Amino acid sequence: MKNTVKKLLFGASIAAGMSAIAATPAHAVSFSFNNSNEIKTYTGGSNGTFIPNNTAAAANALSDGDVTSNVELWYSTENPTSNVGFTASEGNYSATVSSVTAADWSVFGSQWLGDLLSTYTPFQSVWNGFSDNTKSLVTSYFPLLGMGDPNIGNFQFGQDGGVELKLVGHLDVKTKLSTLVSTSLTEKWNEIKAQFPTVTSLPTLLQVNSLISQLQTQLSLPITPVAVKNQLSSKIAQLTKLKDLLSLQATVNAYQGSIGASEIAKVVTGDKTYYAYSFNPTASGITASDDDVSYSAIYTWNTPGYKPKVPSISYQSVPEPSLILGLLGVTGMFAAQCKLKKNTTELTCRE
């Protein structure tokens, strides 16, 4: 006796068994912003648009997989006065990412500087020759680099709640660094120039060395009164700072390569605080639509030991072993006993 079984029923029976095996949907990352008035979203690409004060657009840019779309934290100036940013949550994981203030620089500035010098070694020898006073002076200017208002291109959690950021910035910050040094020089000279009335403009490195030499000669004279010696020592210390800054300026201007340095974000996750930055840029292939300069580089930063997520299949509704064996048995029986009629959509099966 032959039974006719619709092909549709056969397919449906197999689909019913396989439908029990499904991929677990990923938890979506949610974002909340602590000051929407200080965030600005760029929609991505060289023809992107800027959208200020829009948290929905910002959340999309942080999670859309397009690293050129990004969110700037504290966009009104380049020198944040508070930690503006967002808190990201996914399941049991949470992390807060924000702008960097001058107070933050005082905490991590030496760490950042050490990493910068180890990356760009020509600056290391110059820095090592600085007096402690000069090092302190230069460090105090770091907040003026305008790197504390980061553009975040992407945020994601890894395994075990680790964090990875894509920071969008410039391929070369040499011009910005040179400008900062020049500003520092001008301010320093304006502070001390009244002590050197014969010098009418910012002196060169050669002139400063000559002035220091003259003062040291006067200081070494045994007939020089103690009060005068104290004044001379003070002038020498001030000129030494100026000399160091001039040396730094010369080194920056003479450096032939690019200086890649990302902007910096403050990241708090769990009970730990990190400062996210990198000196290893990757060309983004785009520039911002407003200045044709910004967003030329992507920098990747992650928490120590970060492990990216590996797509995995889980079994949400796993059938009982007896059901699986039964399905396999039915499949085998159909394969052995059924043959497809020519020019028909039916299976003819034998008992």
Side-chain angles (χ1 to χ4, degrees):
M1 177 179 177
K2 294 182 178 180
N3 291 327
T4 300
V5 183
K6 291 290 185 181
K7 188 177 183 181
L8 177 61
L9 294 176
F10 178 76
S13 66
I14 298 301
M18 296 303 293
S19 65
I21 303 175
T24 303
H27 290 290
V29 179
S30 62
F31 299 91
S32 61
F33 297 82
N34 67 1
N35 185 348
S36 61
N37 293 326
E38 278 291 352
I39 63 167
K40 183 169 65 174
T41 303
Y42 185 71
T43 57
S46 292
N47 297 313
T49 57
F50 292 91
I51 306 173
N53 316 329
N54 187 313
T55 57
N60 182 67
L62 290 169
S63 57
D64 62 4
D66 177 3
V67 293
T68 68
S69 64
N70 64 83
V71 180
E72 184 175 8
L73 307 179
W74 188 278
Y75 76 88
S76 60
T77 67
E78 286 194 335
N79 300 300
T81 57
S82 65
N83 298 117
V84 166
F86 60 86
T87 296
S89 301
E90 181 183 44
N92 295 325
Y93 303 140
S94 178
T96 297
V97 180
S98 65
S99 53
V100 171
T101 66
D104 293 318
W105 271 105
S106 67
V107 173
F108 82 98
S110 60
Q111 169 194 320
W112 180 87
L113 177 65
D115 291 341
L116 173 70
L117 295 177
S118 65
T119 303
Y120 300 101
T121 53
F123 300 104
Q124 183 74 66
S125 59
V126 176
W127 181 262
N128 289 344
F130 286 174
S131 66
D132 290 340
N133 287 336
T134 303
K135 289 179 179 178
S136 178
L137 175 66
V138 174
T139 303
S140 71
Y141 283 109
F142 286 164
L144 301 179
L145 275 171
M147 299 171 71
D149 55 336
N151 293 73
I152 313 297
N154 191 60
F155 174 97
Q156 65 181 26
F157 287 107
Q159 298 179 39
D160 303 322
V163 169
E164 180 178 85
L165 298 180
K166 299 292 185 180
L167 300 159
V168 184
H170 297 275
L171 276 171
D172 189 357
V173 297
K174 183 167 62 178
T175 298
K176 180 177 285 191
L177 183 58
S178 179
T179 300
L180 174 67
V181 175
S182 295
T183 300
S184 304
L185 273 168
T186 299
E187 289 185 1
K188 186 60 187 173
W189 174 242
N190 287 339
E191 178 187 326
I192 67 172
K193 64 182 181 180
Q195 302 177 49
F196 307 95
T198 60
V199 183
T200 57
S201 61
L202 178 67
T204 65
L205 183 58
L206 183 63
Q207 288 174 315
V208 170
N209 282 328
S210 177
L211 284 170
I212 292 175
S213 179
Q214 293 172 26
L215 293 173
Q216 287 175 333
T217 299
Q218 295 178 45
L219 184 63
S220 65
L221 295 174
I223 60 172
T224 303
V226 173
V228 175
K229 284 188 175 183
N230 290 338
Q231 293 177 359
L232 292 173
S233 295
S234 175
K235 287 184 177 182
I236 290 172
Q238 297 296 331
L239 285 174
T240 298
K241 291 179 183 178
L242 195 66
K243 180 192 74 172
D244 290 344
L245 288 172
L246 286 165
S247 297
L248 180 59
Q249 182 185 54
T251 303
V252 171
N253 292 342
Y255 186 71
Q256 295 300 308
S258 60
I259 301 175
S262 74
E263 293 174 322
I264 304 155
K266 184 177 184 178
V267 180
V268 179
T269 177
D271 59 350
K272 295 183 178 179
T273 298
Y274 303 95
Y275 290 93
Y277 58 86
S278 170
F279 300 107
N280 185 26
T282 299
S284 67
I286 72 154
T287 53
S289 59
D290 62 340
D291 63 6
D292 294 325
V293 175
S294 303
Y295 309 159
S296 57
I298 306 295
Y299 297 83
T300 300
W301 175 89
N302 44 56
T303 50
Y306 173 81
K307 296 179 181 178
K309 291 177 181 175
V310 177
S312 61
I313 300 296
S314 65
Y315 302 93
Q316 286 186 303
S317 180
V318 181
E320 293 293 327
S322 59
L323 176 58
I324 295 176
L325 293 173
L327 288 170
L328 292 175
V330 170
T331 305
M333 178 184 70
F334 268 64
Q337 295 185 4
C338 299
K339 63 180 180 179
L340 185 62
K341 282 186 178 180
K342 293 181 179 180
N343 302 320
T344 183
T345 59
E346 296 179 340
L347 290 172
T348 300
C349 298
R350 299 192 303 275
E351 285 186 321

